[in-house]
Amino acid sequence: KPNVVIAGTLSPSNYTQAIKELKRHAKLPDFSWIIPESIITDDDFDIQMLKTMNIYFFSNNFVNPDTQENESFIYQYYEKFNALPSLGSFAYQGYDITRIFINRLYKHPSETPPLSYSFKLIKREDGGQENVGVRFVQMKNLRYNIIMPE
């Protein structure tokens, strides 16, 4: 049976310490970790540990760096703005949101998946819409794999 550690509230340094402690015990089997996405990018998290870990996290705006669509977007964005796109600058989110509205305006279904969002729009009571879509992402051997929705 797989061994899974679900840790939602530890600080990055606590994660690093817990992982090191578990790895010290050579007889223990490998663990899969379900952690907050923010831990992976925190400066206090030991990024070298990602090479040997099996990590899962939920993300509502995850960009898979290994897709042709993403490579094309990066190239075109850089050509136009002379800077790399990022989630922090909302480049991906803006692209996805704009595309969804253009597709709806022209009633044209998109054949290309969004770059950063997993769209699952629900109608709110006030008449607006809310995106409740989320992805479950695996990171193993420094490679991403979107588990759901797929």
Side-chain angles (χ1 to χ4, degrees), residues 59-62 93 96-97 100 104 114 116-124 128-135 149:
S59 177
N60 62 351
N61 58 354
F62 167 75
Q93 300 94 318
D96 287 344
I97 299 290
I100 203 168
R104 286 182 174 194
S116 66
Y117 281 123
S118 175
F119 286 109
K120 182 178 179 185
L121 300 173
I122 61 169
K123 190 164 181 96
R124 295 185 343 203
Q129 292 189 348
E130 180 179 354
N131 182 26
V132 295
V134 68
R135 291 183 176 128

PDB file of all heavy atoms in Angstrom, residues 59-62 93 96-97 100 104 114 116-124 128-135 149:
ATOM      1  N   SER A  59      -3.902  23.120  -7.276  1.00  0.00           N
ATOM      2  CA  SER A  59      -3.595  24.434  -7.824  1.00  0.00           C
ATOM      3  C   SER A  59      -4.776  24.926  -8.649  1.00  0.00           C
ATOM      4  O   SER A  59      -5.325  24.180  -9.452  1.00  0.00           O
ATOM      5  CB  SER A  59      -2.344  24.365  -8.713  1.00  0.00           C
ATOM      6  OG  SER A  59      -2.092  25.616  -9.294  1.00  0.00           O
ATOM      7  N   ASN A  60      -5.146  26.185  -8.437  1.00  0.00           N
ATOM      8  CA  ASN A  60      -6.208  26.732  -9.272  1.00  0.00           C
ATOM      9  C   ASN A  60      -5.647  27.555 -10.432  1.00  0.00           C
ATOM     10  O   ASN A  60      -6.387  27.980 -11.304  1.00  0.00           O
ATOM     11  CB  ASN A  60      -7.197  27.556  -8.448  1.00  0.00           C
ATOM     12  CG  ASN A  60      -6.551  28.753  -7.802  1.00  0.00           C
ATOM     13  OD1 ASN A  60      -5.340  28.906  -7.826  1.00  0.00           O
ATOM     14  ND2 ASN A  60      -7.348  29.606  -7.210  1.00  0.00           N
ATOM     15  N   ASN A  61      -4.355  27.775 -10.462  1.00  0.00           N
ATOM     16  CA  ASN A  61      -3.733  28.406 -11.631  1.00  0.00           C
ATOM     17  C   ASN A  61      -2.305  27.894 -11.782  1.00  0.00           C
ATOM     18  O   ASN A  61      -1.353  28.524 -11.403  1.00  0.00           O
ATOM     19  CB  ASN A  61      -3.781  29.933 -11.574  1.00  0.00           C
ATOM     20  CG  ASN A  61      -3.117  30.501 -10.348  1.00  0.00           C
ATOM     21  OD1 ASN A  61      -2.697  29.784  -9.458  1.00  0.00           O
ATOM     22  ND2 ASN A  61      -3.007  31.796 -10.294  1.00  0.00           N
ATOM     23  N   PHE A  62      -2.211  26.722 -12.355  1.00  0.00           N
ATOM     24  CA  PHE A  62      -0.940  26.036 -12.555  1.00  0.00           C
ATOM     25  C   PHE A  62      -0.565  26.090 -14.034  1.00  0.00           C
ATOM     26  O   PHE A  62      -1.397  25.860 -14.904  1.00  0.00           O
ATOM     27  CB  PHE A  62      -1.081  24.571 -12.113  1.00  0.00           C
ATOM     28  CG  PHE A  62       0.064  23.699 -12.549  1.00  0.00           C
ATOM     29  CD1 PHE A  62       1.285  23.771 -11.913  1.00  0.00           C
ATOM     30  CD2 PHE A  62      -0.085  22.827 -13.608  1.00  0.00           C
ATOM     31  CE1 PHE A  62       2.340  22.977 -12.322  1.00  0.00           C
ATOM     32  CE2 PHE A  62       0.962  22.022 -14.019  1.00  0.00           C
ATOM     33  CZ  PHE A  62       2.173  22.102 -13.376  1.00  0.00           C
ATOM     34  N   GLN A  93      -3.040  34.240 -16.653  1.00  0.00           N
ATOM     35  CA  GLN A  93      -4.431  34.362 -16.268  1.00  0.00           C
ATOM     36  C   GLN A  93      -5.174  35.308 -17.219  1.00  0.00           C
ATOM     37  O   GLN A  93      -6.294  35.023 -17.632  1.00  0.00           O
ATOM     38  CB  GLN A  93      -4.561  34.867 -14.827  1.00  0.00           C
ATOM     39  CG  GLN A  93      -3.923  33.965 -13.794  1.00  0.00           C
ATOM     40  CD  GLN A  93      -2.489  34.356 -13.444  1.00  0.00           C
ATOM     41  OE1 GLN A  93      -1.699  34.688 -14.321  1.00  0.00           O
ATOM     42  NE2 GLN A  93      -2.139  34.302 -12.169  1.00  0.00           N
ATOM     43  N   ASP A  96      -5.837  33.524 -20.501  1.00  0.00           N
ATOM     44  CA  ASP A  96      -6.910  32.531 -20.392  1.00  0.00           C
ATOM     45  C   ASP A  96      -8.281  33.178 -20.280  1.00  0.00           C
ATOM     46  O   ASP A  96      -9.240  32.764 -20.941  1.00  0.00           O
ATOM     47  CB  ASP A  96      -6.676  31.613 -19.193  1.00  0.00           C
ATOM     48  CG  ASP A  96      -5.542  30.630 -19.407  1.00  0.00           C
ATOM     49  OD1 ASP A  96      -5.115  30.437 -20.568  1.00  0.00           O
ATOM     50  OD2 ASP A  96      -5.068  30.052 -18.410  1.00  0.00           O
ATOM     51  N   ILE A  97      -8.398  34.194 -19.429  1.00  0.00           N
ATOM     52  CA  ILE A  97      -9.685  34.872 -19.238  1.00  0.00           C
ATOM     53  C   ILE A  97     -10.126  35.564 -20.523  1.00  0.00           C
ATOM     54  O   ILE A  97     -11.288  35.469 -20.922  1.00  0.00           O
ATOM     55  CB  ILE A  97      -9.587  35.906 -18.087  1.00  0.00           C
ATOM     56  CG1 ILE A  97      -9.235  35.234 -16.776  1.00  0.00           C
ATOM     57  CG2 ILE A  97     -10.853  36.728 -17.987  1.00  0.00           C
ATOM     58  CD1 ILE A  97     -10.308  34.381 -16.182  1.00  0.00           C
ATOM     59  N   ILE A 100     -11.414  33.006 -23.001  1.00  0.00           N
ATOM     60  CA  ILE A 100     -12.724  32.441 -22.683  1.00  0.00           C
ATOM     61  C   ILE A 100     -13.840  33.424 -23.055  1.00  0.00           C
ATOM     62  O   ILE A 100     -14.881  33.038 -23.579  1.00  0.00           O
ATOM     63  CB  ILE A 100     -12.824  31.987 -21.207  1.00  0.00           C
ATOM     64  CG1 ILE A 100     -13.927  30.931 -21.077  1.00  0.00           C
ATOM     65  CG2 ILE A 100     -13.077  33.104 -20.258  1.00  0.00           C
ATOM     66  CD1 ILE A 100     -13.925  30.215 -19.745  1.00  0.00           C
ATOM     67  N   ARG A 104     -16.672  32.913 -26.022  1.00  0.00           N
ATOM     68  CA  ARG A 104     -18.098  33.014 -25.725  1.00  0.00           C
ATOM     69  C   ARG A 104     -18.768  34.082 -26.577  1.00  0.00           C
ATOM     70  O   ARG A 104     -19.891  33.907 -27.037  1.00  0.00           O
ATOM     71  CB  ARG A 104     -18.325  33.307 -24.253  1.00  0.00           C
ATOM     72  CG  ARG A 104     -18.082  32.104 -23.390  1.00  0.00           C
ATOM     73  CD  ARG A 104     -18.358  32.406 -21.959  1.00  0.00           C
ATOM     74  NE  ARG A 104     -18.257  31.173 -21.191  1.00  0.00           N
ATOM     75  CZ  ARG A 104     -18.699  31.065 -19.972  1.00  0.00           C
ATOM     76  NH1 ARG A 104     -19.272  32.088 -19.367  1.00  0.00           N
ATOM     77  NH2 ARG A 104     -18.570  29.933 -19.324  1.00  0.00           N
ATOM     78  N   PRO A 114      -6.737  25.943 -21.725  1.00  0.00           N
ATOM     79  CA  PRO A 114      -6.162  27.132 -21.090  1.00  0.00           C
ATOM     80  C   PRO A 114      -4.742  26.849 -20.612  1.00  0.00           C
ATOM     81  O   PRO A 114      -4.387  25.714 -20.312  1.00  0.00           O
ATOM     82  CB  PRO A 114      -7.095  27.382 -19.903  1.00  0.00           C
ATOM     83  CG  PRO A 114      -8.341  26.636 -20.212  1.00  0.00           C
ATOM     84  CD  PRO A 114      -7.950  25.484 -21.078  1.00  0.00           C
ATOM     85  N   SER A 116      -3.244  28.357 -17.841  1.00  0.00           N
ATOM     86  CA  SER A 116      -3.043  28.367 -16.394  1.00  0.00           C
ATOM     87  C   SER A 116      -4.253  27.932 -15.586  1.00  0.00           C
ATOM     88  O   SER A 116      -4.094  27.437 -14.484  1.00  0.00           O
ATOM     89  CB  SER A 116      -2.614  29.760 -15.928  1.00  0.00           C
ATOM     90  OG  SER A 116      -3.653  30.698 -16.113  1.00  0.00           O
ATOM     91  N   TYR A 117      -5.437  28.124 -16.084  1.00  0.00           N
ATOM     92  CA  TYR A 117      -6.625  27.820 -15.306  1.00  0.00           C
ATOM     93  C   TYR A 117      -7.271  26.520 -15.736  1.00  0.00           C
ATOM     94  O   TYR A 117      -7.195  26.117 -16.888  1.00  0.00           O
ATOM     95  CB  TYR A 117      -7.681  28.924 -15.451  1.00  0.00           C
ATOM     96  CG  TYR A 117      -7.426  30.138 -14.604  1.00  0.00           C
ATOM     97  CD1 TYR A 117      -7.308  31.389 -15.173  1.00  0.00           C
ATOM     98  CD2 TYR A 117      -7.311  30.040 -13.229  1.00  0.00           C
ATOM     99  CE1 TYR A 117      -7.085  32.513 -14.401  1.00  0.00           C
ATOM    100  CE2 TYR A 117      -7.084  31.157 -12.446  1.00  0.00           C
ATOM    101  CZ  TYR A 117      -6.980  32.387 -13.039  1.00  0.00           C
ATOM    102  OH  TYR A 117      -6.754  33.481 -12.268  1.00  0.00           O
ATOM    103  N   SER A 118      -7.953  25.907 -14.798  1.00  0.00           N
ATOM    104  CA  SER A 118      -8.856  24.803 -15.079  1.00  0.00           C
ATOM    105  C   SER A 118     -10.241  25.397 -14.887  1.00  0.00           C
ATOM    106  O   SER A 118     -10.653  25.678 -13.769  1.00  0.00           O
ATOM    107  CB  SER A 118      -8.620  23.652 -14.106  1.00  0.00           C
ATOM    108  OG  SER A 118      -9.569  22.651 -14.309  1.00  0.00           O
ATOM    109  N   PHE A 119     -10.947  25.674 -15.982  1.00  0.00           N
ATOM    110  CA  PHE A 119     -12.218  26.372 -15.873  1.00  0.00           C
ATOM    111  C   PHE A 119     -13.363  25.435 -15.558  1.00  0.00           C
ATOM    112  O   PHE A 119     -13.575  24.429 -16.231  1.00  0.00           O
ATOM    113  CB  PHE A 119     -12.538  27.125 -17.171  1.00  0.00           C
ATOM    114  CG  PHE A 119     -11.713  28.361 -17.351  1.00  0.00           C
ATOM    115  CD1 PHE A 119     -10.727  28.413 -18.309  1.00  0.00           C
ATOM    116  CD2 PHE A 119     -11.914  29.464 -16.539  1.00  0.00           C
ATOM    117  CE1 PHE A 119      -9.957  29.544 -18.470  1.00  0.00           C
ATOM    118  CE2 PHE A 119     -11.146  30.605 -16.694  1.00  0.00           C
ATOM    119  CZ  PHE A 119     -10.168  30.645 -17.661  1.00  0.00           C
ATOM    120  N   LYS A 120     -14.070  25.768 -14.502  1.00  0.00           N
ATOM    121  CA  LYS A 120     -15.337  25.138 -14.156  1.00  0.00           C
ATOM    122  C   LYS A 120     -16.166  26.271 -13.560  1.00  0.00           C
ATOM    123  O   LYS A 120     -16.105  26.550 -12.365  1.00  0.00           O
ATOM    124  CB  LYS A 120     -15.136  24.003 -13.157  1.00  0.00           C
ATOM    125  CG  LYS A 120     -16.430  23.291 -12.821  1.00  0.00           C
ATOM    126  CD  LYS A 120     -16.189  22.144 -11.858  1.00  0.00           C
ATOM    127  CE  LYS A 120     -17.520  21.475 -11.537  1.00  0.00           C
ATOM    128  NZ  LYS A 120     -17.340  20.436 -10.528  1.00  0.00           N
ATOM    129  N   LEU A 121     -16.886  26.956 -14.421  1.00  0.00           N
ATOM    130  CA  LEU A 121     -17.618  28.144 -14.006  1.00  0.00           C
ATOM    131  C   LEU A 121     -18.995  27.766 -13.473  1.00  0.00           C
ATOM    132  O   LEU A 121     -19.705  26.963 -14.073  1.00  0.00           O
ATOM    133  CB  LEU A 121     -17.755  29.112 -15.179  1.00  0.00           C
ATOM    134  CG  LEU A 121     -16.433  29.618 -15.765  1.00  0.00           C
ATOM    135  CD1 LEU A 121     -16.675  30.426 -17.021  1.00  0.00           C
ATOM    136  CD2 LEU A 121     -15.665  30.430 -14.745  1.00  0.00           C
ATOM    137  N   ILE A 122     -19.333  28.346 -12.326  1.00  0.00           N
ATOM    138  CA  ILE A 122     -20.671  28.159 -11.777  1.00  0.00           C
ATOM    139  C   ILE A 122     -21.325  29.526 -11.654  1.00  0.00           C
ATOM    140  O   ILE A 122     -20.651  30.543 -11.478  1.00  0.00           O
ATOM    141  CB  ILE A 122     -20.651  27.446 -10.410  1.00  0.00           C
ATOM    142  CG1 ILE A 122     -19.871  28.260  -9.368  1.00  0.00           C
ATOM    143  CG2 ILE A 122     -20.107  26.039 -10.528  1.00  0.00           C
ATOM    144  CD1 ILE A 122     -20.033  27.768  -7.941  1.00  0.00           C
ATOM    145  N   LYS A 123     -22.636  29.550 -11.795  1.00  0.00           N
ATOM    146  CA  LYS A 123     -23.379  30.808 -11.690  1.00  0.00           C
ATOM    147  C   LYS A 123     -23.616  31.113 -10.213  1.00  0.00           C
ATOM    148  O   LYS A 123     -24.065  30.268  -9.450  1.00  0.00           O
ATOM    149  CB  LYS A 123     -24.701  30.692 -12.429  1.00  0.00           C
ATOM    150  CG  LYS A 123     -25.414  32.001 -12.577  1.00  0.00           C
ATOM    151  CD  LYS A 123     -26.489  31.889 -13.636  1.00  0.00           C
ATOM    152  CE  LYS A 123     -27.178  33.201 -13.799  1.00  0.00           C
ATOM    153  NZ  LYS A 123     -26.662  33.983 -14.871  1.00  0.00           N
ATOM    154  N   ARG A 124     -23.286  32.333  -9.828  1.00  0.00           N
ATOM    155  CA  ARG A 124     -23.486  32.770  -8.450  1.00  0.00           C
ATOM    156  C   ARG A 124     -24.877  33.383  -8.300  1.00  0.00           C
ATOM    157  O   ARG A 124     -25.512  33.764  -9.282  1.00  0.00           O
ATOM    158  CB  ARG A 124     -22.425  33.797  -8.069  1.00  0.00           C
ATOM    159  CG  ARG A 124     -21.039  33.219  -8.064  1.00  0.00           C
ATOM    160  CD  ARG A 124     -19.979  34.157  -7.572  1.00  0.00           C
ATOM    161  NE  ARG A 124     -20.377  35.556  -7.541  1.00  0.00           N
ATOM    162  CZ  ARG A 124     -19.532  36.567  -7.571  1.00  0.00           C
ATOM    163  NH1 ARG A 124     -18.258  36.343  -7.648  1.00  0.00           N
ATOM    164  NH2 ARG A 124     -19.953  37.811  -7.527  1.00  0.00           N
ATOM    165  N   GLY A 128     -23.312  36.780 -11.219  1.00  0.00           N
ATOM    166  CA  GLY A 128     -21.971  36.602 -11.776  1.00  0.00           C
ATOM    167  C   GLY A 128     -21.610  35.132 -11.883  1.00  0.00           C
ATOM    168  O   GLY A 128     -22.433  34.242 -11.638  1.00  0.00           O
ATOM    169  N   GLN A 129     -20.382  34.883 -12.274  1.00  0.00           N
ATOM    170  CA  GLN A 129     -19.881  33.515 -12.356  1.00  0.00           C
ATOM    171  C   GLN A 129     -18.601  33.399 -11.542  1.00  0.00           C
ATOM    172  O   GLN A 129     -17.859  34.370 -11.400  1.00  0.00           O
ATOM    173  CB  GLN A 129     -19.611  33.118 -13.808  1.00  0.00           C
ATOM    174  CG  GLN A 129     -20.856  32.987 -14.630  1.00  0.00           C
ATOM    175  CD  GLN A 129     -20.586  32.387 -15.991  1.00  0.00           C
ATOM    176  OE1 GLN A 129     -19.447  32.261 -16.412  1.00  0.00           O
ATOM    177  NE2 GLN A 129     -21.638  32.006 -16.680  1.00  0.00           N
ATOM    178  N   GLU A 130     -18.356  32.206 -11.048  1.00  0.00           N
ATOM    179  CA  GLU A 130     -17.156  31.954 -10.257  1.00  0.00           C
ATOM    180  C   GLU A 130     -16.478  30.697 -10.785  1.00  0.00           C
ATOM    181  O   GLU A 130     -17.136  29.702 -11.081  1.00  0.00           O
ATOM    182  CB  GLU A 130     -17.539  31.749  -8.794  1.00  0.00           C
ATOM    183  CG  GLU A 130     -16.368  31.488  -7.888  1.00  0.00           C
ATOM    184  CD  GLU A 130     -16.787  31.324  -6.434  1.00  0.00           C
ATOM    185  OE1 GLU A 130     -17.966  31.524  -6.110  1.00  0.00           O
ATOM    186  OE2 GLU A 130     -15.917  30.966  -5.625  1.00  0.00           O
ATOM    187  N   ASN A 131     -15.160  30.753 -10.907  1.00  0.00           N
ATOM    188  CA  ASN A 131     -14.401  29.585 -11.339  1.00  0.00           C
ATOM    189  C   ASN A 131     -14.061  28.749 -10.115  1.00  0.00           C
ATOM    190  O   ASN A 131     -13.338  29.194  -9.231  1.00  0.00           O
ATOM    191  CB  ASN A 131     -13.123  30.006 -12.069  1.00  0.00           C
ATOM    192  CG  ASN A 131     -12.349  28.812 -12.576  1.00  0.00           C
ATOM    193  OD1 ASN A 131     -12.919  27.758 -12.826  1.00  0.00           O
ATOM    194  ND2 ASN A 131     -11.059  28.973 -12.735  1.00  0.00           N
ATOM    195  N   VAL A 132     -14.581  27.527 -10.071  1.00  0.00           N
ATOM    196  CA  VAL A 132     -14.293  26.633  -8.959  1.00  0.00           C
ATOM    197  C   VAL A 132     -13.395  25.487  -9.410  1.00  0.00           C
ATOM    198  O   VAL A 132     -13.188  24.528  -8.679  1.00  0.00           O
ATOM    199  CB  VAL A 132     -15.592  26.088  -8.314  1.00  0.00           C
ATOM    200  CG1 VAL A 132     -16.373  27.221  -7.677  1.00  0.00           C
ATOM    201  CG2 VAL A 132     -16.427  25.326  -9.323  1.00  0.00           C
ATOM    202  N   GLY A 133     -12.862  25.599 -10.617  1.00  0.00           N
ATOM    203  CA  GLY A 133     -11.983  24.563 -11.146  1.00  0.00           C
ATOM    204  C   GLY A 133     -10.650  24.542 -10.427  1.00  0.00           C
ATOM    205  O   GLY A 133     -10.101  25.579 -10.073  1.00  0.00           O
ATOM    206  N   VAL A 134     -10.139  23.366 -10.207  1.00  0.00           N
ATOM    207  CA  VAL A 134      -8.842  23.201  -9.560  1.00  0.00           C
ATOM    208  C   VAL A 134      -8.157  21.987 -10.182  1.00  0.00           C
ATOM    209  O   VAL A 134      -8.825  21.075 -10.672  1.00  0.00           O
ATOM    210  CB  VAL A 134      -8.998  23.049  -8.030  1.00  0.00           C
ATOM    211  CG1 VAL A 134      -9.672  21.748  -7.676  1.00  0.00           C
ATOM    212  CG2 VAL A 134      -7.668  23.180  -7.310  1.00  0.00           C
ATOM    213  N   ARG A 135      -6.853  21.999 -10.199  1.00  0.00           N
ATOM    214  CA  ARG A 135      -6.089  20.858 -10.712  1.00  0.00           C
ATOM    215  C   ARG A 135      -5.377  20.174  -9.555  1.00  0.00           C
ATOM    216  O   ARG A 135      -4.959  20.811  -8.603  1.00  0.00           O
ATOM    217  CB  ARG A 135      -5.046  21.319 -11.726  1.00  0.00           C
ATOM    218  CG  ARG A 135      -5.639  21.828 -13.002  1.00  0.00           C
ATOM    219  CD  ARG A 135      -4.519  22.196 -13.958  1.00  0.00           C
ATOM    220  NE  ARG A 135      -5.050  22.608 -15.223  1.00  0.00           N
ATOM    221  CZ  ARG A 135      -4.734  23.736 -15.828  1.00  0.00           C
ATOM    222  NH1 ARG A 135      -3.876  24.557 -15.276  1.00  0.00           N
ATOM    223  NH2 ARG A 135      -5.242  24.040 -16.990  1.00  0.00           N
ATOM    224  N   PRO A 149      -8.143  17.868 -13.317  1.00  0.00           N
ATOM    225  CA  PRO A 149      -8.966  17.142 -14.276  1.00  0.00           C
ATOM    226  C   PRO A 149      -8.202  16.916 -15.565  1.00  0.00           C
ATOM    227  O   PRO A 149      -7.441  17.763 -15.996  1.00  0.00           O
ATOM    228  CB  PRO A 149     -10.152  18.071 -14.511  1.00  0.00           C
ATOM    229  CG  PRO A 149      -9.589  19.449 -14.314  1.00  0.00           C
ATOM    230  CD  PRO A 149      -8.498  19.290 -13.275  1.00  0.00           C
TER     231      PRO A 149
END
